[in-house]
Amino acid sequence: EYFTEGDLPDAVRCVQDLDAPLFGHEVVKRIVYRGVEKGGESVDKALALLQALVDQEILHPVQVQKGLGRALAGLPDLCLDVPDAKQRMQGL
């Protein structure tokens, strides 16, 4: 919904409500994938959401790093559905 509506505070609250700090890397990976799949300004929205989650200490930078690593590791599979995923991910 965030990528359609753009309500950053609501998206931050939803991630915070998950209350799953050990799975922050999975949240990061899913945010990245959603932004890349939608393309365009959604990549910027993904970056803004990740930045807000780190700034508000909802996600630890280590979880972000781990999630980005997992997103990169899954890039070949993502490219099957989104051929220009690599180029889109470079925006992150």
Side-chain angles (χ1 to χ4, degrees):
E1 187 176 318
Y2 164 67
F3 290 100
T4 304
E5 301 296 324
D7 188 352
L8 184 61
D10 185 51
V12 169
R13 183 189 53 75
C14 288
V15 173
Q16 187 173 24
D17 288 350
L18 290 174
D19 193 29
L22 297 178
F23 294 99
H25 61 278
E26 185 64 27
V27 171
V28 171
K29 185 178 96 171
R30 289 180 185 221
I31 290 170
V32 169
Y33 278 9
R34 184 64 53 149
V36 169
E37 287 169 351
K38 291 192 165 280
E41 69 179 31
S42 292
V43 175
D44 294 333
K45 286 182 177 181
L47 186 58
L49 178 54
L50 292 174
Q51 186 65 54
L53 293 169
V54 170
D55 289 348
Q56 295 182 33
E57 299 181 355
I58 296 166
L59 286 178
H60 191 277
V62 171
Q63 290 289 332
V64 174
Q65 184 179 13
K66 188 175 181 180
L68 289 173
R70 289 190 178 202
L72 286 173
L75 188 58
D77 289 335
L78 183 59
C79 284
L80 295 174
D81 295 325
V82 184
D84 64 341
K86 186 175 181 178
Q87 291 79 16
R88 291 180 185 187
M89 198 175 279
Q90 288 176 348
L92 296 170

